[in-house]
Amino acid sequence: MKQLLVLLLTITLFGCQTSTNETLLFVGSYTDKQPGEGIHVYQFNNETGESVLKFTLDSITNTSFLKLSDNGEYLYSVVESQMPHHGKVASFKVDAKNQKIELLNMQDCGGLNPVHLQIDHTGNYLTNSNYSDGSLSLFKINKDGSLNEASQVLKFKDSSIIKGRQDKSHIHSSYFSPDNKYLFTQDLGADKMRRFSFSDKDKGLLENEMDIKAKLGSGPRHFAFHPNGKFGYLANELSGKVDAYQYVNGDLVFIEDYLSYGQQQDIYRTADIHTSPDGKFLYVSNRGPEEDTITVFQINQDNGKLTLVERTDTGGQHPRNFAIHPSGKYLLVTNMFTDNVVVFRRDIETGKLTKLDKEIKVKTPSSVQIFTYAISE
């Protein structure tokens, strides 16, 4: 009888445990090159699109780009970007239940002005792109989410045709291929993507195998692989165009290019690029000087070609970065020059965006990450 009571009590206790879905936003900001409020954590309402500030990381400098691990347990940030000395990369443990982050460690990024972070598909390695001195660094991620010292720092010397912007190599981003065998970096200063072979064994290894040339004056900035692994899309900052590629056996085969802006301009500042979770639509941000928009393209699932759907004003100036909610129902964009993060409801069927009156006011936002956690209660 006593054993039965214990069993019933155990079933009752464990049966009472429930979990709720909690979506958190992580917003990184420039801090005017001095210690300040660098990272904000918000609770996001999945039904209304409203956000509530839960945590602020203070006394840290220019945390201008953030990257979450695939499981959402760890957050990585560049630190001290746009400074005259080497920047850093910081790792944080995400405390989803208490809606905050805790610093694990920092490492020297190996170069000047870190601007982009990427994690390989095993979750064991992180790459960092340094814009100002055209370098790329590779880090091993420890089991607790912290970072080892950089195992490789690769530096490049190259240039292209636009004076003042392409006088030397500027590594702006890097992305692991869908099969995790290669890393593609975007070199804005050299008008090319550099392909590296990648091994996720032992300490990891990057070897530069070939260069994929973009049109002169393009300024490759960010890239997005399609969820099906067959296509890829390059955002060119200086030409304002998107290049579509087919990914075949480690090679990117050019398909076609498309103007992201609504009209031709003397200066282009195309910035970020992402596909929708279902792979049906592509989104690109344009940062002035005469047009601050998100451009929406529909993706042909057979050949990867793009068809324009719409261009939507971002509700602010200089949309440096944006992210799509895991459900695909929202898109959030950081307007750096107007100190606001704007929330759009996204039509999953048409891809179109509708601005909501739910914007977040935060100083100089430059990066946003979104994750939905299952919180046990």
Side-chain angles (χ1 to χ4, degrees):
M1 184 67 178
K2 184 177 180 180
Q3 290 178 335
L4 179 61
L5 289 174
V6 172
L7 177 61
L8 289 173
L9 180 60
T10 301
I11 293 173
T12 301
L13 288 173
F14 280 92
C16 290
Q17 287 188 348
T18 59
S19 63
T20 58
N21 288 333
E22 194 75 74
T23 297
L24 298 181
L25 309 179
F26 305 87
V27 178
S29 298
Y30 284 97
T31 61
D32 198 23
K33 299 183 180 182
Q34 57 188 351
E37 296 182 351
I39 302 176
H40 295 80
V41 181
Y42 297 85
Q43 181 187 50
F44 183 81
N45 188 311
N46 294 328
E47 299 301 320
T48 66
E50 294 177 293
S51 301
V52 178
L53 179 63
K54 292 296 182 178
F55 176 83
T56 299
L57 181 69
D58 203 350
S59 302
I60 195 165
T61 304
N62 282 11
T63 47
S64 57
F65 190 87
L66 307 179
K67 179 64 179 179
L68 276 171
S69 61
D70 284 347
N71 59 14
E73 292 184 8
Y74 306 105
L75 179 72
Y76 299 91
S77 176
V78 304
V79 182
E80 298 179 17
S81 63
Q82 293 190 349
M83 302 295 278
H85 54 262
H86 276 202
K88 298 180 178 66
V89 180
S91 61
F92 300 90
K93 171 68 176 176
V94 177
D95 182 349
K97 189 170 185 178
N98 293 302
Q99 302 169 331
K100 64 180 184 178
I101 57 175
E102 300 171 356
L103 178 66
L104 294 173
N105 74 334
M106 287 192 196
Q107 297 288 4
D108 188 301
C109 74
L112 299 173
N113 193 11
V115 292
H116 186 270
L117 303 171
Q118 187 67 13
I119 300 171
D120 86 302
H121 299 305
T122 69
N124 294 324
Y125 295 91
L126 177 142
T127 53
N128 163 73
S129 301
N130 297 309
Y131 181 83
S132 293
D133 63 356
S135 61
L136 176 74
S137 49
L138 176 70
F139 298 86
K140 178 71 169 65
I141 300 175
N142 297 314
K143 290 184 178 180
D144 65 355
S146 64
L147 296 172
N148 282 332
E149 292 182 359
S151 57
Q152 279 183 284
V153 178
L154 307 174
K155 297 187 177 182
F156 306 94
K157 293 182 179 180
D158 217 333
S159 62
S160 194
I161 64 172
I162 299 181
K163 293 182 178 181
R165 295 301 310 273
Q166 295 184 310
D167 297 335
K168 58 182 180 178
S169 179
H170 294 300
I171 304 299
H172 212 306
S173 63
S174 65
Y175 299 85
F176 288 93
S177 61
D179 53 21
N180 215 44
K181 293 181 179 179
Y182 304 96
L183 179 77
F184 292 89
T185 68
Q186 284 60 54
D187 191 334
L188 183 146
D191 280 329
K192 63 178 63 172
M193 290 186 285
R194 304 178 185 274
R195 190 188 79 177
F196 301 83
S197 61
F198 172 68
S199 170
D200 58 12
K201 307 299 182 185
D202 300 322
K203 295 182 180 180
L205 181 65
L206 295 172
E207 292 186 358
N208 194 186
E209 290 189 335
M210 64 177 290
D211 294 336
I212 300 168
K213 295 181 180 179
K215 292 181 180 179
L216 294 179
S218 293
R221 180 183 172 96
H222 281 192
F223 194 85
F225 277 105
H226 193 280
N228 67 12
K230 298 179 180 179
F231 310 114
Y233 301 93
L234 172 64
N236 292 292
E237 176 174 343
L238 304 181
S239 68
K241 289 185 177 181
V242 174
D243 295 349
Y245 293 88
Q246 186 177 8
Y247 179 65
V248 184
N249 297 325
D251 195 11
L252 290 171
V253 181
F254 179 77
I255 299 173
E256 205 166 85
D257 61 14
Y258 308 83
L259 186 62
S260 181
Y261 277 70
Q263 57 187 358
Q264 291 190 346
Q265 299 186 174
D266 292 332
I267 298 174
Y268 295 101
R269 297 194 187 107
T270 296
D272 205 9
I273 186 168
H274 298 282
T275 65
S276 58
D278 60 11
K280 294 182 179 180
F281 298 94
L282 183 74
Y283 296 81
V284 189
S285 65
N286 304 304
R287 302 172 297 165
E290 299 176 20
E291 177 183 326
D292 292 285
T293 57
I294 296 289
T295 300
V296 186
F297 295 100
Q298 186 170 21
I299 301 173
N300 185 306
Q301 302 298 299
D302 296 322
N303 58 26
K305 292 184 177 183
L306 304 177
T307 303
L308 177 66
V309 175
E310 68 171 359
R311 292 183 179 89
T312 301
D313 189 281
T314 63
Q317 295 178 8
H318 206 81
R320 185 177 180 88
N321 182 248
F322 67 93
I324 299 174
H325 190 280
S327 69
K329 294 181 179 179
Y330 297 96
L331 184 148
L332 287 85
V333 58
T334 60
N335 290 307
M336 182 175 161
F337 289 172
T338 46
D339 300 333
N340 62 334
V341 180
V342 173
V343 182
F344 291 89
R345 191 178 296 277
R346 179 178 166 271
D347 189 311
I348 295 177
E349 297 300 322
T350 67
K352 292 184 177 182
L353 302 174
T354 302
K355 183 179 177 295
L356 301 182
D357 187 23
K358 308 292 183 184
E359 72 175 41
I360 301 168
K361 297 299 293 184
V362 57
K363 187 176 180 181
T364 328
S366 59
S367 182
V368 59
Q369 294 279 279
I370 310 173
F371 197 89
T372 300
Y373 299 85
I375 308 296
S376 298
E377 297 181 344

